[in-house]
Amino acid sequence: MSKLIVIVLSILLSTNYLTGQDKIGEIKTLLKFDKNDEAIGYFINSSSHYLVNQQTGRNIHRSLYDSNFQLIATYTTKAEEITFNKKQVSAPLFIREHQIGNSFFEIYVEKYNVTIVKIDFQNRKDDFIYTLELKKGWLQEKLLAIMPFNKGVRILTYSQKKDRLTLYQWFVNGSFDSTTYLLPTSSLSEEETKLYSRELRVKYKEAFLMFHVSPANEEVIMGPAGNNGVYYSDSCLWLLSQMPYSTGYNILEIRPERKTLESWNVFVNKIENSNSTDNRNIKTPVAAVVRNKLFVQNLSDYSLEYHIYDMGNR
């Protein structure tokens, strides 16, 4: 971990060539920094401030800087219930920050625990405002996704034993709720089963083993970390699971305000293509949701194509 956070600005002169980089500010650690210590900083959009967290042993030192990188507030809290250090296995680990209006929060996770902390420089303390304890055991409840939205934080879990999803919602006004969604008995409709094959049904317990999580408003169309993923917006969640034999994707669409779950499929490749001896016929789809559109990248050694679907008009 670096002992110094330096922010630089490249300055271009009117002659349109680069003459060098001028440092416009610096943020130094306030205490002695050891190789086992951790530091994480981020920008606060609502106030144009910078927050830097430095963990030394079991203490977390929080420092707030203005837009000119001048220190304006600081306080220290104990790193007993939360941590920035991956080696400290006894407490939930920091995964991300979240800002709502003028308030900012940090989200911490361990295997069966999600904790949301409000950072309060005015009262110089951490405010533990929400803790979710999951049912212990892989079959009971598995954490799938943590999804900040404009009113709070959503937490999605999966129970293999009960074959269902649970969506927990914490709201910035202090309220919270949860909704359970039973998974479809088959990812294929009766018509699709007759038209294609029962072999194309998605096994959710396998699909949910590895899920990447991403907001659905990213500018980049492709680049997911795996075949299956959760994409989310303020109003909707989409669980994308690749179908067997690379034939397409099953989409589970959750609308939290309506408390509904719908299942539908897109087919992009023929099942017989997966056994073809001609590599030009063997294509692998990878899907992503970008601004309410589903992009399915279909790739082979010889070709690249995109299949695009309107998520709001099926």
Side-chain angles (χ1 to χ4, degrees):
M1 184 64 65
S2 173
K3 296 184 179 181
L4 180 67
I5 300 175
V6 180
I7 301 174
V8 297
L9 175 67
S10 298
I11 301 178
L12 293 174
L13 297 183
S14 57
T15 51
N16 293 324
Y17 62 86
L18 187 66
T19 61
Q21 292 181 315
D22 289 352
K23 182 170 69 175
I24 63 172
E26 67 181 27
I27 298 174
K28 293 184 178 180
T29 58
L30 301 180
L31 303 170
K32 182 181 178 181
F33 205 91
D34 186 81
K35 66 179 182 178
N36 294 319
D37 295 338
E38 297 288 341
I40 292 176
Y42 49 85
F43 179 67
I44 302 172
N45 289 308
S46 60
S47 60
S48 296
H49 289 163
Y50 298 86
L51 192 155
V52 177
N53 297 305
Q54 179 188 353
Q55 180 171 342
T56 56
R58 290 301 179 99
N59 291 314
I60 295 175
H61 311 280
R62 303 191 185 277
S63 302
L64 189 66
Y65 297 81
D66 64 18
S67 58
N68 295 315
F69 315 109
Q70 299 300 308
L71 181 65
I72 56 176
T74 184
Y75 70 89
T76 299
T77 187
K78 290 292 184 181
E80 295 175 347
E81 298 180 72
I82 55 175
T83 185
F84 292 93
N85 193 331
K86 294 180 179 179
K87 296 179 181 179
Q88 184 181 334
V89 296
S90 60
L93 179 69
F94 172 84
I95 61 164
R96 65 163 299 158
E97 81 286 352
H98 183 37
Q99 303 169 40
I100 304 176
N102 293 322
S103 299
F104 47 100
F105 309 88
E106 291 179 347
I107 304 172
Y108 297 80
V109 174
E110 63 177 355
K111 193 171 184 179
Y112 299 110
N113 177 292
V114 180
T115 298
I116 301 175
V117 179
K118 182 178 181 180
I119 311 305
D120 187 353
F121 277 98
Q122 183 175 354
N123 296 303
R124 299 168 60 88
K125 67 172 186 176
D126 286 357
D127 187 5
F128 287 72
I129 56 177
Y130 180 73
T131 298
L132 174 64
E133 296 285 350
L134 304 182
K135 297 178 179 65
K136 293 187 177 180
W138 156 251
L139 296 179
Q140 292 290 341
E141 195 167 26
K142 179 185 187 308
L143 179 62
L144 288 185
I146 295 176
M147 301 157 289
F149 70 115
N150 60 352
K151 296 180 181 179
V153 176
R154 292 183 174 123
I155 302 164
L156 184 66
T157 68
Y158 165 61
S159 171
Q160 181 178 329
K161 184 175 182 179
K162 297 184 178 181
D163 205 26
R164 71 185 189 186
L165 299 168
T166 300
L167 182 65
Y168 301 91
Q169 295 187 111
W170 168 80
F171 298 93
V172 71
N173 63 9
S175 63
F176 56 89
D177 66 24
S178 63
T179 305
T180 296
Y181 301 92
L182 292 177
L183 290 169
T185 54
S186 173
S187 63
L188 299 176
S189 67
E190 291 184 9
E191 183 179 349
E192 289 169 336
T193 302
K194 294 177 182 178
L195 186 61
Y196 300 102
S197 168
R198 295 178 69 255
E199 295 182 23
L200 299 189
R201 292 183 300 178
V202 169
K203 296 179 180 178
Y204 291 116
K205 65 179 181 180
E206 297 177 3
F208 293 167
L209 284 174
M210 293 292 294
F211 252 25
H212 68 269
V213 183
S214 177
N217 60 355
E218 298 289 346
E219 299 294 341
V220 178
I221 294 178
M222 272 300 145
N227 294 332
N228 306 322
V230 180
Y231 288 83
Y232 63 92
S233 67
D234 288 338
S235 60
C236 196
L237 286 63
W238 298 277
L239 285 71
L240 310 183
S241 300
Q242 191 182 84
M243 297 167 64
Y245 305 105
S246 297
T247 49
Y249 266 84
N250 171 249
I251 297 92
L252 296 176
E253 180 178 290
I254 296 176
R255 293 195 174 270
E257 292 187 359
R258 302 177 187 174
K259 299 186 183 302
T260 59
L261 181 148
E262 294 183 40
S263 174
W264 49 285
N265 301 292
V266 294
F267 299 87
V268 296
N269 296 316
K270 296 179 179 179
I271 189 171
E272 54 265 25
N273 286 358
S274 64
N275 296 318
S276 175
T277 57
D278 187 346
N279 287 341
R280 288 172 295 186
N281 294 327
I282 301 176
K283 298 179 181 179
T284 302
V286 180
V289 178
V290 181
R291 300 192 180 279
N292 214 40
K293 289 183 174 55
L294 175 67
F295 289 80
V296 181
Q297 173 186 278
N298 206 24
L299 181 66
S300 75
D301 291 340
Y302 298 91
S303 65
L304 169 65
E305 60 190 23
Y306 285 95
H307 300 257
I308 305 168
Y309 306 84
D310 186 351
M311 306 291 275
N313 185 22
R314 304 196 310 274

